[in-house]
Amino acid sequence: QSALTQPPSVSGSPGQSVTISCTGTSSDVRTYNRISWYQQSPGTAPRLIIFAVSDRPSGVPDRFSGSKSGNTASLTISGLRAEDEADYYCSSYISSMSTLVFGGGTRLTVL
Amino acid sequence: QLQLQESGPGLVNPSETLSLTCTVSGGSISDSGYFWGWIRQTPGTRPEWIGTTHYTGGETYYNPSLKSRLTMSVDMSKNQFSLRLSSVTAADTAVYSCARQLGADRWAMDVWGQGTTVTVSS
């Protein structure tokens, strides 16, 4: 079982909102604010869109937001656009593993 | 604007050492608060963190699964940091990317290189 579990896929229509979950098997997600989210389009490096659970790097639209409840972190994308279609990965440092771990990724399809 | 660029051989023989360098431009590797890391990824799979280091070399973190084969170093004079992974096998074939990490405890990579493909094969 992966340390961070994401749904394989989500979809939504333009203008709608979608939420991608990231559930941790250890208590690290609950205890620390180390959750990050990345957007990755084919053939490109991941792009950081959320860090420290809910902070956005400069240049990332406020349509992207992050939150956490218990051991599950969430990424919400509002006002979906065709350009949001990509793979999304959560990550967190897992103390018990001494490792920065990435979730399995979620493929977002904009219908 | 900070940019990172990976360089190194695209083909490595099995059992040999993979060596990659990341050149930082548009900023300094000694910029306060930042760490520098390596991540690899094979097509269709999640990224795998390799390791993270500080420019002083005083704080370095390795993926335990790679630790016995891994060495990371920093060359401040060249604004570069490097990766050496020994005794490689086909399982080490991947796209290797260098990245800047936002501090020791945030574990978030905010600037990435474009990645370089390394194939382990004879």
Side-chain angles (χ1 to χ4, degrees):
Chain A
Q1 185 178 10
S2 174
L4 295 175
T5 300
Q6 301 179 231
S9 64
V10 297
S11 62
S13 299
Q16 289 186 333
S17 295
V18 295
T19 296
I20 300 171
S21 62
C22 173
T23 301
T25 55
S26 72
S27 61
D28 284 77
V29 174
R30 175 187 299 110
T31 304
Y32 304 106
N33 289 332
R34 296 170 175 167
I35 287 288
S36 299
W37 289 93
Y38 298 86
Q39 176 192 62
Q40 187 176 33
S41 299
T44 67
R47 171 198 180 200
L48 181 68
I49 54 174
I50 295 288
F51 66 97
V53 177
S54 58
D55 290 344
R56 278 187 308 276
S58 173
V60 174
D62 59 6
R63 302 187 297 105
F64 294 88
S65 63
S67 62
K68 184 180 73 170
S69 177
N71 228 31
T72 296
S74 298
L75 170 71
T76 298
I77 309 171
S78 59
L80 268 179
R81 299 182 177 183
E83 67 212 47
D84 298 332
E85 190 162 283
D87 292 328
Y88 290 83
Y89 295 94
C90 62
S91 74
S92 179
Y93 186 79
I94 304 298
S95 301
S96 60
M97 300 170 62
S98 299
T99 301
L100 175 63
V101 173
F102 289 82
T106 299
R107 173 69 54 88
L108 168 63
T109 300
V110 181
L111 302 171
Chain B
Q1 179 183 358
L2 188 77
Q3 292 185 317
L4 281 66
Q5 179 67 58
E6 305 88 352
S7 59
L11 181 64
V12 183
N13 291 319
S15 80
E16 296 190 345
T17 296
L18 180 164
S19 296
L20 295 174
T21 296
C22 183
T23 301
V24 180
S25 60
S28 173
I29 202 168
S30 60
D31 282 345
S32 179
Y34 295 111
F35 284 62
W36 305 91
W38 290 95
I39 303 92
R40 68 183 184 181
Q41 189 175 19
T42 55
T45 69
R46 72 189 76 189
E48 179 184 26
W49 172 71
I50 298 172
T52 290
T53 190
H54 190 254
Y55 77 93
T56 61
E59 288 186 73
T60 300
Y61 306 89
Y62 293 156
N63 187 320
S65 69
L66 300 171
K67 186 175 183 178
S68 64
R69 301 190 289 130
L70 182 61
T71 303
M72 292 179 61
S73 59
V74 175
D75 187 337
M76 288 179 57
S77 68
K78 296 181 178 179
N79 224 28
Q80 295 175 334
F81 61 104
S82 299
L83 158 74
R84 288 174 57 86
L85 184 66
S86 64
S87 305
V88 297
T89 69
D92 294 309
T93 294
V95 175
Y96 285 74
S97 299
C98 57
R100 185 178 75 172
Q101 179 175 319
L102 292 174
D105 202 41
R106 290 184 173 179
W107 292 98
M109 310 296 185
D110 72 327
V111 181
W112 294 63
Q114 64 184 24
T116 186
T117 299
V118 177
T119 301
V120 178
S121 175
S122 56

Short mmCIF file of all heavy atoms in Angstrom, two decimals, chain A residues 10 20 38-42 82-88 106-110:
data_model
loop_
_atom_site.label_atom_id
_atom_site.label_comp_id
_atom_site.label_asym_id
_atom_site.label_seq_id
_atom_site.Cartn_x
_atom_site.Cartn_y
_atom_site.Cartn_z
N VAL A 10 -9.99 11.74 -12.26
CA VAL A 10 -11.16 12.58 -12.00
C VAL A 10 -11.46 13.30 -13.29
O VAL A 10 -10.61 13.42 -14.17
CB VAL A 10 -10.93 13.60 -10.86
CG1 VAL A 10 -10.67 12.92 -9.54
CG2 VAL A 10 -9.82 14.57 -11.21
N ILE A 20 -9.31 16.66 -5.78
CA ILE A 20 -8.48 15.46 -5.79
C ILE A 20 -8.00 15.22 -4.36
O ILE A 20 -7.45 16.12 -3.72
CB ILE A 20 -7.28 15.63 -6.73
CG1 ILE A 20 -7.76 15.91 -8.16
CG2 ILE A 20 -6.38 14.40 -6.69
CD1 ILE A 20 -6.64 16.29 -9.12
N TYR A 38 1.59 18.92 -7.30
CA TYR A 38 2.26 19.21 -8.56
C TYR A 38 1.33 18.90 -9.72
O TYR A 38 0.56 17.94 -9.68
CB TYR A 38 3.54 18.37 -8.70
CG TYR A 38 4.57 18.64 -7.65
CD1 TYR A 38 4.53 17.99 -6.41
CD2 TYR A 38 5.59 19.57 -7.86
CE1 TYR A 38 5.48 18.25 -5.43
CE2 TYR A 38 6.55 19.83 -6.89
CZ TYR A 38 6.48 19.16 -5.68
OH TYR A 38 7.43 19.42 -4.71
N GLN A 39 1.46 19.72 -10.76
CA GLN A 39 0.76 19.50 -12.02
C GLN A 39 1.80 19.08 -13.06
O GLN A 39 2.86 19.69 -13.16
CB GLN A 39 0.09 20.80 -12.46
CG GLN A 39 -0.59 20.75 -13.81
CD GLN A 39 -0.96 22.16 -14.28
OE1 GLN A 39 -0.10 23.00 -14.47
NE2 GLN A 39 -2.25 22.41 -14.44
N GLN A 40 1.51 18.02 -13.80
CA GLN A 40 2.46 17.57 -14.81
C GLN A 40 1.74 17.25 -16.11
O GLN A 40 0.85 16.40 -16.15
CB GLN A 40 3.23 16.33 -14.33
CG GLN A 40 4.34 15.92 -15.27
CD GLN A 40 5.17 14.76 -14.74
OE1 GLN A 40 4.67 13.89 -14.05
NE2 GLN A 40 6.47 14.77 -15.06
N SER A 41 2.16 17.95 -17.16
CA SER A 41 1.68 17.66 -18.51
C SER A 41 2.67 16.73 -19.19
O SER A 41 3.84 16.67 -18.79
CB SER A 41 1.52 18.97 -19.29
OG SER A 41 0.57 19.80 -18.66
N PRO A 42 2.23 15.98 -20.19
CA PRO A 42 3.12 14.99 -20.84
C PRO A 42 4.42 15.61 -21.33
O PRO A 42 4.44 16.67 -21.95
CB PRO A 42 2.26 14.49 -22.01
CG PRO A 42 0.86 14.68 -21.56
CD PRO A 42 0.87 15.95 -20.76
N ALA A 82 -9.60 23.89 -20.08
CA ALA A 82 -9.02 22.80 -20.86
C ALA A 82 -7.54 22.62 -20.54
O ALA A 82 -7.01 21.50 -20.50
CB ALA A 82 -9.23 23.05 -22.35
N GLU A 83 -6.86 23.73 -20.25
CA GLU A 83 -5.42 23.68 -19.98
C GLU A 83 -5.09 23.03 -18.64
O GLU A 83 -3.92 22.75 -18.37
CB GLU A 83 -4.86 25.11 -19.98
CG GLU A 83 -5.35 25.99 -18.84
CD GLU A 83 -5.46 27.45 -19.22
OE1 GLU A 83 -6.03 27.74 -20.29
OE2 GLU A 83 -4.98 28.30 -18.44
N ASP A 84 -6.10 22.79 -17.82
CA ASP A 84 -5.86 22.12 -16.54
C ASP A 84 -5.72 20.62 -16.69
O ASP A 84 -5.35 19.92 -15.75
CB ASP A 84 -7.00 22.42 -15.56
CG ASP A 84 -7.13 23.89 -15.22
OD1 ASP A 84 -6.10 24.61 -15.28
OD2 ASP A 84 -8.26 24.32 -14.92
N GLU A 85 -6.05 20.11 -17.86
CA GLU A 85 -5.95 18.67 -18.09
C GLU A 85 -4.49 18.24 -17.98
O GLU A 85 -3.62 18.70 -18.72
CB GLU A 85 -6.51 18.31 -19.47
CG GLU A 85 -6.66 16.82 -19.69
CD GLU A 85 -7.60 16.50 -20.85
OE1 GLU A 85 -8.82 16.60 -20.68
OE2 GLU A 85 -7.06 16.13 -21.92
N ALA A 86 -4.23 17.38 -17.01
CA ALA A 86 -2.85 16.98 -16.68
C ALA A 86 -2.89 15.90 -15.60
O ALA A 86 -3.97 15.52 -15.14
CB ALA A 86 -2.05 18.18 -16.18
N ASP A 87 -1.72 15.43 -15.23
CA ASP A 87 -1.59 14.55 -14.07
C ASP A 87 -1.25 15.40 -12.85
O ASP A 87 -0.46 16.34 -12.94
CB ASP A 87 -0.47 13.53 -14.29
CG ASP A 87 -0.82 12.53 -15.38
OD1 ASP A 87 -2.01 12.20 -15.54
OD2 ASP A 87 0.10 12.07 -16.08
N TYR A 88 -1.84 15.05 -11.72
CA TYR A 88 -1.61 15.79 -10.48
C TYR A 88 -1.08 14.82 -9.42
O TYR A 88 -1.63 13.74 -9.22
CB TYR A 88 -2.90 16.45 -10.00
CG TYR A 88 -3.32 17.60 -10.90
CD1 TYR A 88 -4.03 17.35 -12.07
CD2 TYR A 88 -2.97 18.91 -10.60
CE1 TYR A 88 -4.39 18.39 -12.92
CE2 TYR A 88 -3.33 19.96 -11.44
CZ TYR A 88 -4.03 19.69 -12.60
OH TYR A 88 -4.37 20.72 -13.44
N THR A 106 -3.08 11.49 -10.13
CA THR A 106 -4.47 11.53 -10.57
C THR A 106 -4.54 12.20 -11.94
O THR A 106 -4.05 13.31 -12.10
CB THR A 106 -5.35 12.30 -9.59
OG1 THR A 106 -5.32 11.66 -8.31
CG2 THR A 106 -6.79 12.38 -10.10
N ARG A 107 -5.11 11.52 -12.90
CA ARG A 107 -5.27 12.08 -14.23
C ARG A 107 -6.56 12.89 -14.28
O ARG A 107 -7.65 12.34 -14.06
CB ARG A 107 -5.31 10.97 -15.29
CG ARG A 107 -5.65 11.42 -16.70
CD ARG A 107 -4.53 12.25 -17.32
NE ARG A 107 -3.25 11.60 -17.31
CZ ARG A 107 -2.81 10.77 -18.25
NH1 ARG A 107 -3.57 10.47 -19.27
NH2 ARG A 107 -1.61 10.26 -18.16
N LEU A 108 -6.44 14.19 -14.52
CA LEU A 108 -7.60 15.06 -14.64
C LEU A 108 -7.97 15.20 -16.11
O LEU A 108 -7.15 15.63 -16.92
CB LEU A 108 -7.32 16.45 -14.04
CG LEU A 108 -8.36 17.53 -14.37
CD1 LEU A 108 -9.73 17.17 -13.79
CD2 LEU A 108 -7.90 18.88 -13.85
N THR A 109 -9.19 14.86 -16.41
CA THR A 109 -9.72 15.02 -17.76
C THR A 109 -10.77 16.12 -17.75
O THR A 109 -11.69 16.10 -16.93
CB THR A 109 -10.36 13.72 -18.28
OG1 THR A 109 -9.37 12.68 -18.28
CG2 THR A 109 -10.90 13.90 -19.68
N VAL A 110 -10.59 17.08 -18.63
CA VAL A 110 -11.57 18.15 -18.79
C VAL A 110 -12.46 17.78 -19.97
O VAL A 110 -11.99 17.71 -21.11
CB VAL A 110 -10.89 19.52 -19.00
CG1 VAL A 110 -11.95 20.61 -19.14
CG2 VAL A 110 -9.97 19.83 -17.83
#
